Amino acid sequence: MFDQRSRIRQATRTILAFLGACLMIASFVWMQRTPRPESIKRSTAQPTPTSRPFAVVVLDPGHGGQDSGAMCGGVLEKDLTLDVARRIDRLLGAEGIATQMTRLGDTYVSLADRAAFANRVSNCIFVSIHFNEDNQPVSSGVETYYAAHQITAGSFLASWLPFLWRALSESPNSESQNLAGSIQEALVARTRAADRGTKPKQFFVIANVTSPAALVEGGFLTNKEDISKLASEGYREEIAAAIADGIVRYRDAVKQRQPTLAVTNPGER
């Protein structure tokens, strides 16, 4: 009797696995055969729906709790990210910009929870703060990322499946690119660090938020010069001020685009 039950359970698992595989294959075939809407084809030439001034900045200090991130001696990435995020929070508050943080202390927050937190905040932008590491100790400088494919409302499942990324976006979110560019430009201008540019990369935490999102790498903990500067409170204040400057520049640029949209819309009615 036991052997019979065991065989039934095994057969059930096999059938469920087969059906799951069939569902994934069917989804892939459907995505390949379904014509893409004209609106997607023209997406690079049109403003995104988020082209309006934001109300809140969600600051995401990377890592935390048992997740220390990069380490160099006694310096932990999780401590640096929280320190810089708190400084940005203070600087943006002085500018009258509302903020929220995905963690306030040395606590662990999963990537999914960070993204979900941001998606519950209306009319926001998302800035994740990190510090780099590399096998080559000569690597140094600052860089800012935006997602190659970013989630849209109702497409969370697709974000987990690489073969369905076409369902997320045909191209990167232009507002995320603009945000990353503004922050990177301010970082290089203030810190004089090596400019590693802005880059698309499918980091979970910026790919799975619906708002404009950027991930900052503020220096390498594996580089002696970078880590020496990061040990200074004054330099961390400069990094925070640069990120805050970049956010303000992005906001001002969005505001400048508003009058153009306001003039053209009435003529289309």
Side-chain angles (χ1 to χ4, degrees), residues 84-113:
V84 170
R86 286 171 171 168
R87 294 172 188 272
I88 299 169
D89 179 59
R90 170 176 49 80
L91 292 167
L92 291 178
E95 292 284 339
I97 298 176
T99 60
Q100 293 195 35
M101 292 175 59
T102 57
R103 68 180 178 99
L104 299 174
D106 185 19
T107 55
Y108 174 77
V109 182
S110 72
L111 296 178
D113 285 341

Side-chain angles (χ1 to χ4, degrees), residues 121-173:
V121 180
S122 300
N123 191 19
C124 71
I125 63 172
F126 180 86
V127 179
S128 189
I129 301 144
H130 289 260
F131 292 90
N132 235 327
E133 62 181 341
D134 194 78
N135 293 329
Q136 301 295 327
V138 295
S139 296
S140 67
V142 294
E143 56 194 4
T144 308
Y145 290 92
Y146 54 91
H149 305 275
Q150 194 168 335
I151 193 174
T152 56
S155 61
F156 181 77
L157 177 60
S159 70
W160 288 82
L161 305 173
F163 65 82
L164 290 182
W165 279 349
R166 278 177 53 189
L168 303 186
S169 59
E170 187 69 10
S171 60
N173 183 320

Side-chain angles (χ1 to χ4, degrees), residues 39-117:
S39 60
I40 293 179
K41 292 181 181 178
R42 297 195 302 267
S43 61
T44 55
Q46 296 186 5
T48 64
T50 53
S51 296
R52 65 182 187 276
F54 52 85
V56 182
V57 178
V58 176
L59 297 171
D60 175 45
H63 308 285
Q66 68 267 31
D67 176 12
S68 298
M71 293 180 282
C72 179
V75 179
L76 306 179
E77 182 183 2
K78 68 173 184 177
D79 296 332
L80 293 177
T81 61
L82 184 60
D83 177 85
V84 170
R86 286 171 171 168
R87 294 172 188 272
I88 299 169
D89 179 59
R90 170 176 49 80
L91 292 167
L92 291 178
E95 292 284 339
I97 298 176
T99 60
Q100 293 195 35
M101 292 175 59
T102 57
R103 68 180 178 99
L104 299 174
D106 185 19
T107 55
Y108 174 77
V109 182
S110 72
L111 296 178
D113 285 341
R114 293 169 193 260
F117 178 90

Side-chain angles (χ1 to χ4, degrees), residues 2-268:
F2 176 80
D3 290 342
Q4 183 179 3
R5 289 178 179 174
S6 179
R7 285 195 297 271
I8 292 173
R9 284 197 297 269
Q10 181 62 38
T12 302
R13 285 196 295 266
T14 302
I15 291 170
L16 290 174
F18 176 75
L19 290 175
C22 288
L23 179 60
M24 292 179 69
I25 293 170
S27 299
F28 176 74
V29 171
W30 179 82
M31 287 297 303
Q32 295 294 322
R33 295 177 63 88
T34 302
R36 280 175 272 179
E38 286 297 313
S39 60
I40 293 179
K41 292 181 181 178
R42 297 195 302 267
S43 61
T44 55
Q46 296 186 5
T48 64
T50 53
S51 296
R52 65 182 187 276
F54 52 85
V56 182
V57 178
V58 176
L59 297 171
D60 175 45
H63 308 285
Q66 68 267 31
D67 176 12
S68 298
M71 293 180 282
C72 179
V75 179
L76 306 179
E77 182 183 2
K78 68 173 184 177
D79 296 332
L80 293 177
T81 61
L82 184 60
D83 177 85
V84 170
R86 286 171 171 168
R87 294 172 188 272
I88 299 169
D89 179 59
R90 170 176 49 80
L91 292 167
L92 291 178
E95 292 284 339
I97 298 176
T99 60
Q100 293 195 35
M101 292 175 59
T102 57
R103 68 180 178 99
L104 299 174
D106 185 19
T107 55
Y108 174 77
V109 182
S110 72
L111 296 178
D113 285 341
R114 293 169 193 260
F117 178 90
N119 288 333
R120 289 193 296 269
V121 180
S122 300
N123 191 19
C124 71
I125 63 172
F126 180 86
V127 179
S128 189
I129 301 144
H130 289 260
F131 292 90
N132 235 327
E133 62 181 341
D134 194 78
N135 293 329
Q136 301 295 327
V138 295
S139 296
S140 67
V142 294
E143 56 194 4
T144 308
Y145 290 92
Y146 54 91
H149 305 275
Q150 194 168 335
I151 193 174
T152 56
S155 61
F156 181 77
L157 177 60
S159 70
W160 288 82
L161 305 173
F163 65 82
L164 290 182
W165 279 349
R166 278 177 53 189
L168 303 186
S169 59
E170 187 69 10
S171 60
N173 183 320
S174 62
E175 289 304 315
S176 293
Q177 286 182 283
N178 292 339
L179 174 61
S182 294
I183 292 174
Q184 180 68 15
E185 183 179 342
L187 273 171
V188 173
R190 266 194 176 266
T191 67
R192 306 290 182 182
D195 183 4
R196 297 175 62 89
T198 59
K199 305 171 184 178
K201 193 163 184 179
Q202 204 67 4
F203 288 118
F204 183 95
V205 76
I206 53 174
N208 286 275
V209 295
T210 57
S211 56
L215 185 147
V216 178
E217 294 281 6
F220 283 77
L221 301 192
T222 46
N223 179 273
K224 288 183 178 179
E225 184 177 344
D226 280 8
I227 191 67
S228 175
K229 291 188 293 186
L230 289 169
S232 161
E233 286 196 18
Y235 186 74
R236 295 198 301 275
E237 183 72 14
E238 285 297 307
I239 290 179
I243 295 173
D245 283 350
I247 290 170
V248 171
R249 290 182 192 179
Y250 170 74
R251 180 200 62 183
D252 293 344
V254 172
K255 283 183 177 180
Q256 287 178 0
R257 295 199 297 270
Q258 288 298 103
T260 301
L261 296 176
V263 169
T264 56
N265 284 342
E268 296 173 355

